[in-house]
Amino acid sequence: MRFFEEKRREVMKHIEKYMLEKMHEFLKPIEQIWQPSDLLPDSTRDTFFSEIKELQESARGLSYDLVAVLIGDTITEEALPTYESWLSMVEGVDKDQHSGWMTWTRHWTAEENRHGDLLNKYLYLSGRVNMRAMEVSTQYLIADGFDIGTGTDPYRNFIYTSFQEMATNVSHRRVASQAKKDGDTLLSKMCGVIASDEARHAKAYKHFISKIFEVDANEAMLAFEDMMRKKIVMPAHFLREVGLKVGQTFGHFTDAAQRLGIYTAVDYVDILKELIEDWQLESRTELNEAGEKARDYIMALPNRLLRVAERMKNPMLEYKFSWIHG
């Protein structure tokens, strides 16, 4: 075990240099990137109240399921303290505040933090949301924590973040598209800029794993297989409302997303296929017997999952969320 931990630390040190060189491509300068106030009504202007009225009129046209998905996405984004503390515990991350990986974690967290700020303010102004019920769910999600099956292994963690950032990109992009159809161009723009951030972050984590494959292909393959056998669980997996047990709300949230086509079982398969291609699994060499078996399992998985996804029926059972006013 100690040998593997040492190897992980060596690999993390190796790709840290690459990360720092490319950091300006993966994360935007703070002075230049958008901020929530750029997209929200400006309280210093005389038009503030008329802008809020316009925002609320547009928000009234959003479907119930879309509001539910948007709230679930917002709560997920607001659970950032959990994600930052989790990434800081990864093997190979020097806890010195000025180290490379801690610098990455703080800057990534700072970019992500804007997403929850923006969506929370929009939902507050929309008049559609029981904000206290939503805030309780956010506090629960942070307090309950989550187990994504990665432990402190950087390989498994970066595989997870690659998959998850791609999934959040899909979700926010689809919410943007649906909001536009429902007549809310402001929300559409908001979710569009968030989706763009998630795409950049996905690109970063995918590159980190590519670099790991270059120097430790066999262990990277085994880590990928392990994560896919466990299945990638969403950060909101433990989502709950007042009076409910941990995770009881998550199924209703995903049902709403599935009904609207915001994020589906087919999307999960598509992300897996993209990662297989991006990480060039088919052409990887230097694999031992266990590595070859891991690759065979991963390569066959998309077709297996697709057959399951095609048999799944669209969940029709509607659920009344405590988050949504009225």
Side-chain angles (χ1 to χ4, degrees):
M1 179 62 78
R2 185 171 293 176
F3 169 77
F4 287 112
E5 288 176 358
E6 280 297 326
K7 183 70 182 287
R8 296 296 204 257
R9 281 195 284 270
E10 285 177 20
V11 172
M12 284 291 280
K13 203 70 186 168
H14 170 74
I15 64 172
E16 185 178 70
K17 295 174 187 175
Y18 167 82
M19 178 274 292
L20 289 170
E21 287 172 6
K22 295 285 186 178
M23 196 163 157
H24 68 283
E25 294 179 22
F26 298 141
L27 301 173
K28 298 287 185 182
I30 294 171
E31 300 81 7
Q32 298 173 20
I33 201 167
W34 64 269
Q35 296 297 334
S37 58
D38 298 332
L39 297 152
L40 290 159
D42 185 346
S43 61
T44 66
R45 290 200 299 246
D46 294 337
T47 56
F48 179 58
F49 292 107
S50 62
E51 288 175 29
I52 292 175
K53 187 177 179 182
E54 187 178 332
L55 183 153
Q56 291 186 340
E57 286 174 357
S58 295
R60 274 197 287 272
L62 301 175
S63 71
Y64 188 93
D65 274 346
L66 189 62
V67 175
V69 171
L70 183 61
I71 293 170
D73 283 351
T74 304
I75 294 169
T76 304
E77 294 285 0
E78 290 194 301
L80 271 175
T82 306
Y83 316 145
E84 182 176 21
S85 61
W86 147 60
L87 280 173
S88 69
M89 293 186 291
V90 169
E91 196 70 49
V93 174
D94 188 337
K95 303 308 182 283
D96 185 313
Q97 287 296 301
H98 302 292
S99 71
W101 284 115
M102 283 301 292
T103 299
W104 165 267
T105 299
R106 289 198 312 274
H107 280 254
W108 171 83
T109 302
E111 274 206 5
E112 287 280 342
N113 187 65
R114 293 146 47 257
H115 302 168
D117 280 352
L118 174 60
L119 295 177
N120 184 297
K121 290 185 176 83
Y122 168 86
L123 290 171
Y124 173 72
L125 294 174
S126 74
R128 297 280 312 265
V129 180
N130 178 339
M131 289 301 295
R132 193 177 197 284
M134 177 183 135
E135 288 158 359
V136 167
S137 288
T138 301
Q139 188 169 350
Y140 270 139
L141 190 59
I142 297 171
D144 290 334
F146 72 137
D147 180 7
I148 53 174
T150 58
T152 61
D153 179 16
Y155 297 9
R156 285 165 174 78
N157 274 282
F158 286 167
I159 288 165
Y160 178 87
T161 47
S162 298
F163 200 106
Q164 186 54 44
E165 295 282 18
M166 291 174 73
T168 51
N169 167 261
V170 169
S171 181
H172 287 303
R173 190 158 36 85
R174 298 259 178 82
V175 171
S177 179
Q178 190 61 52
K180 189 174 183 180
K181 287 179 185 175
D182 288 351
D184 195 329
T185 54
L186 178 60
L187 177 60
S188 179
K189 185 176 181 182
M190 289 176 177
C191 292
V193 296
I194 292 171
S196 179
D197 280 358
E198 305 292 19
R200 271 191 298 103
H201 298 166
K203 183 180 178 183
Y205 287 113
K206 285 195 291 181
H207 273 298
F208 299 161
I209 289 292
S210 291
K211 289 293 176 184
I212 290 171
F213 264 112
E214 287 176 12
V215 294
D216 198 7
N218 203 75
E219 283 298 311
M221 193 72 74
L222 292 172
F224 194 10
E225 178 205 20
D226 180 56
M227 290 305 297
M228 297 319 301
R229 284 189 185 277
K230 290 173 181 172
K231 296 182 182 176
I232 302 287
V233 296
M234 299 298 112
H237 190 69
F238 289 166
L239 199 61
R240 61 165 156 157
E241 297 162 83
V242 178
L244 298 182
K245 293 179 181 178
V246 173
Q248 281 192 320
T249 302
F250 179 70
H252 300 299
F253 163 61
T254 55
D255 283 353
Q258 181 90 12
R259 276 194 296 272
L260 281 178
I262 298 296
Y263 185 75
T264 69
V266 174
D267 292 316
Y268 185 97
V269 177
D270 287 342
I271 291 170
L272 173 57
K273 288 198 289 191
E274 190 171 331
L275 292 176
I276 288 170
E277 186 175 337
D278 286 349
W279 293 334
Q280 301 174 358
L281 259 61
E282 205 164 1
S283 60
R284 290 292 169 189
T285 56
E286 299 179 14
L287 301 177
N288 62 22
E289 187 179 352
E292 291 287 2
K293 285 182 178 178
R295 172 163 55 189
D296 290 344
Y297 172 81
I298 298 166
M299 296 300 292
L301 191 57
N303 286 337
R304 283 177 51 201
L305 292 178
L306 198 56
R307 287 195 294 272
V308 174
E310 286 169 349
R311 290 197 299 268
M312 288 173 62
K313 291 182 179 178
N314 222 20
M316 299 310 295
L317 180 64
E318 293 186 6
Y319 173 79
K320 295 300 177 186
F321 292 89
S322 62
W323 307 324
I324 302 179
H325 182 68

